[in-house]
Each structure stands twice: as structure tokens, then as C-alpha cells.
Amino acid sequence: MSYIDLIKERARLDKRTIVLPESNDKRTLIAAAKIVEEGIANIIMVGDEEKIMDGATWLEVDLSGIQVINPATTPKLDKYVELLYETRKAKGMTMEMAREILLKDFLTFGIVMVKAGDADGMVAGANHSTADTLRPALQILKTAPGVKLVSAFFVMDTKFKDMGDNGTFIFADCGLNQDPTAEELAAIADTSAKSFKALVGPKPVIAMLSHSTKGSAKHPLVDKVVEATRIAHEEYPHLVLDGELQTDAALVPGVAKSKAPGSVVNGQANVLIFPNLDAGNIGYKLVQRLGGAEAYGPMLQGIAKPVNDLSRGCSWEDIVGVVALTAVQAQLS
């Protein structure tokens, strides 16, 4: 059974309600039908029910099992307006502004539904930027208790079953923090370890990636990863973590013995922490597009309730997978 099939099984055991606000996107409509058909989650779509059902008819998919909420007609609009106002009034929000936003911005409407407890999580980004998806989540839901930094990760299910956890890895941060500091990289490693335990397996092995292994190159970029590794060892001593490591030293035991003898990672990393967003984004897309991996994300870690982004190049199958992962996150939140 594939990794994502195992996640779907977990999602079915304790079915959660996920909001899909991008009801004008055909991939989202197809995914919603498939999710309901497979019993992965209960689905709420935001928008005009007639238009959504017309789209479903054109696509020849069955959306009879979903719930549609129209912001303009829902009896809960006043409740949501007040909730958004109370959450953002310190930033200048007025009741009038809150109402206008909720009537026009379906992503924010979905986030407020999650905040109100009327849904367990939200997935969006098929036709919105990461910034548009994440901004309302960060503003309204806030960070989870004890979390220093919200970050993003991908679950990468590769064909190489002798690597990672039966071929599955977490890559971070590939979607949010552009140039994290050493302290932030250490925090990303800690939250990524927690995400690995929640979604993949019990034993995260973390590599702090660089173009250098154990001093083989000298550069401020290398210094940052070295310092991040030191901070992680100090602040999160329970983690199995090492750096700075080149990717081959992180993944190949034979190379690790040569380049990083004695490393606790020992060429068996299953959580890869990239030094910046350029490296992370390029890395995951290379593994996905040239290596044939399934990429699920960018998933968010550190937000009070599950909200996850999608690549605008995603397929409907990707949306189904991210919804399943979001449902499992909701079970654990």
C-alpha cells in the first residue's frame, strides 16, 4: 500500500470536515467528488451552489455528498463577521470591513469557519498564491502554543524504498520562509520532526543541508547551517540531527562514512532541512519532476488549526492527497 493510501485509511477512521474554498477550480471540484466517494473527509465548498453544481455537471462528477455554504445567504454570516472583527479589530478592522471581506474573499471565509469550529481544516492554493492562502491563516488562526515559527513542508513519497522511511521524506522549508536565520532553521527542524512523527513514522532523522559537509567549504551560508545545528542540539537535544551535510552525505550511508564519519545521521536522513527557500523549492520540484516523486504540500506546521497550501501546478490527485493529510492533522490537533 502506498504512503498516501495509508494516510487515507487513517483519515477514514475519524472523518473530519475540510473546507475547499476554491469552488471555481475544476481540479477542486473533481477532487471533492473523489474525496466524498472514497470517504476520506466531509467536504464544505464555499460559493454559489447553482454554479458549483453546474460545474460538476459539466465535468460529469457527483457532488451530491458535499455541503455548499454561500457567504451571501448563510445564516451564520453575522456570527462570522463578528468573529473576524474581534480577531482583527486591533489592526483596524471594522464590522463593515469584515462583512465586505467575508462576502468577497472565500479563502478568508473558509479560515473563519475553521476558527469558529464549523470545520476542522482548510485546503486552498490551486489558483491563489501562497501569500493569499497563508495570510488569513496567520492573521486569524495564529500560531499554535509553544511554536516559535510557522513554516512549510512537503511530504515527498519517492520510488526509492531503501531511503527515508520506506521512500518517504519530509522536506522543509519549501514554501514559506525565504531566508531563515540559524535560530529559525533550528525551530524548523524541531517542528518538522513533529510533523514527521504525526504523518510518516516514529523516528525522524534530520539532516541540516548545505553545499558543505563538516567544513569542506567556507562561506557565511555554511556558517548559518553550522550555527543552526549547534542551536538545535542545544535547544532540542532529543532530536537525531546533524549538519552541515551535503545531500549525498545525508542520504547515502557509503558517502556518509567517507564525508561524515561518526555522524548520527549516517546517511539515513528522512527529514531534510534546506538552508533557504530557493534551495527547498528547487529541491522538491527536482525530486518531483525528474525523480518521479509524489509531492504533497506545501503543508503548514505551527498554525493553531490545519490549513494547507497547494501548488498552482497541482493536479486533482494532489488535492485529494493534501486533504487526506489535512484530515489526519486535524485528528491530532
Side-chain angles (χ1 to χ4, degrees), residues 6 63 94 110 137 139 169 178 212 219 240 295 307 309:
L6 292 172
L63 291 181
T94 66
Q139 291 175 342
F169 296 82
Q178 289 189 316
S212 169
H219 192 276
V240 178
V307 173
D309 191 20

Side-chain angles (χ1 to χ4, degrees), residues 106-118:
F106 289 178
L107 270 67
T108 298
F109 187 91
I111 292 291
V112 173
M113 288 191 70
V114 175
K115 176 79 170 179
D118 292 331

